Amino acid sequence: MESTIEDLTNYETLEKSVANELNDKNRFVAMKERRDTGVLSADIIASISHGKYLTFWRGVSIMKDPLDLTIIQQLLWELKPRTVIEFGAYKGGSALWTADMLKMFGCKSRVISIDIDLSLLDAVARESPDVEFIEGDLCDVEKMFSRRFSKGKFVQLETNNLPHPWYLSEDSHVNMTRVLEYFDTFMEPGDYLCIEDTNPFSPALSGQGLIKELGYTEFGPAKLNELKTFVMGRSDRYQVDQRYTDLFG
């Protein structure tokens, strides 16, 4: 008798099976249709964070776990953004990694990273010709960009247009709603928002999971709720891409 069970030891068959499973699920859905659940517990995230704070790119701290790195590079390959704006630079590892990925992909992209204090930048990131670091306070986003940003152009940066599609990465945890409201004016269909640390089980403080003495306090739902309020108020403009948010559960 011929078996009806697919041979999932065959990688090609396995890949098609998983792809079919993803295709059966709506890729883009309204935020209100999402449930605040996930398969990763606080204990698992704490364990992942242990390595997250020891992850480097070209010797520069990147502060991203392996799940994020896999998801984001696949999204960047698909989107091929012409402009990347990162809120929160720290040592510059994340912006450096993003610029390197896009360069390797053959994308002509402009990568801009913004932070209130650029003194922490690693020399490797600071000297990269592929990232533009801007020092500014996002707590006063209108004032900060009034001299630099007008009708889709960074005035200070030789008034070059910022071509779409855009990939905006929010990891500063500062004035998030107002920052998103400001950039919403310039967003176009096909642009992406990536908001870090919206999982309530994420560590509240950097180093938790790595330094046992810090214990582990969950981040909580405040940022997620803030994001939900922003997106649900603009349900005609923003949807959740479940292909990437649910890739690892």
Side-chain angles (χ1 to χ4, degrees):
M1 178 181 294
E2 188 173 322
S3 174
T4 58
I5 300 177
E6 291 183 311
D7 179 15
L8 297 185
T9 60
N10 179 290
Y11 291 134
E12 186 176 4
T13 302
L14 175 60
E15 185 176 342
K16 289 180 180 178
S17 177
V18 175
N20 289 335
E21 182 180 331
L22 288 175
N23 291 335
D24 288 339
K25 182 179 183 180
N26 290 334
R27 176 170 179 179
F28 299 101
V29 299
M31 176 70 87
K32 65 180 180 180
E33 297 179 24
R34 298 278 298 174
R35 294 185 302 164
D36 297 343
T37 59
V39 299
L40 301 179
S41 66
D43 288 340
I44 293 176
I45 293 178
S47 180
I48 292 174
S49 295
H50 186 275
K52 171 181 177 178
Y53 299 116
L54 293 175
T55 302
F56 300 86
W57 178 254
R58 288 209 273 154
V60 184
S61 177
I62 193 170
M63 299 288 282
K64 279 183 169 50
D65 65 50
L67 306 184
D68 290 338
L69 292 174
T70 299
I71 292 169
I72 294 171
Q73 65 85 14
Q74 289 189 195
L75 172 57
L76 292 176
W77 171 257
E78 180 183 4
L79 180 63
K80 294 181 172 60
R82 298 291 305 282
T83 300
V84 174
I85 305 177
E86 175 189 78
F87 306 108
Y90 185 43
K91 292 190 176 181
S94 178
L96 182 66
W97 174 81
T98 301
D100 285 349
M101 288 296 105
L102 291 170
K103 191 173 183 179
M104 182 174 64
F105 294 160
C107 300
K108 294 183 178 180
S109 306
R110 190 172 184 181
V111 179
I112 301 164
S113 184
I114 302 166
D115 204 294
I116 193 172
D117 181 9
L118 296 181
S119 66
L120 299 175
L121 283 180
D122 187 280
V124 174
R126 187 186 296 275
E127 295 168 8
S128 171
D130 302 312
V131 183
E132 301 170 54
F133 290 100
I134 297 176
E135 193 166 85
D137 186 359
L138 291 172
C139 285
D140 196 354
V141 62
E142 293 87 354
K143 182 178 180 181
M144 175 186 167
F145 287 102
S146 63
R147 302 190 190 95
R148 297 186 175 116
F149 199 81
S150 176
K151 296 183 180 179
K153 298 180 181 180
F154 267 98
V155 179
Q156 180 177 323
L157 303 178
E158 302 174 353
T159 65
N160 290 330
N161 288 325
L162 296 178
H164 296 263
W166 288 3
Y167 175 79
L168 304 188
S169 175
E170 197 288 322
D171 196 21
S172 66
H173 306 280
V174 174
N175 200 26
M176 184 188 77
T177 297
R178 188 66 200 106
V179 170
L180 295 182
E181 288 173 346
Y182 184 86
F183 278 90
D184 175 59
T185 306
F186 305 97
M187 299 285 282
E188 295 183 0
D191 294 340
Y192 265 76
L193 294 176
C194 177
I195 312 299
E196 301 270 358
D197 299 314
T198 55
N199 190 326
F201 291 158
S202 298
L205 299 173
S206 296
Q208 291 185 329
L210 173 63
I211 304 173
K212 292 182 179 179
E213 289 75 12
L214 289 177
Y216 194 86
T217 304
E218 295 174 12
F219 192 74
K223 189 173 184 180
L224 175 60
N225 290 338
E226 193 175 348
L227 174 62
K228 287 166 66 175
T229 299
F230 171 80
V231 173
M232 288 182 180
R234 299 163 178 79
S235 57
D236 59 328
R237 287 174 54 77
Y238 296 95
Q239 291 185 311
V240 179
D241 187 346
Q242 297 189 125
R243 173 174 294 179
Y244 293 111
T245 57
D246 299 350
L247 190 61
F248 294 106

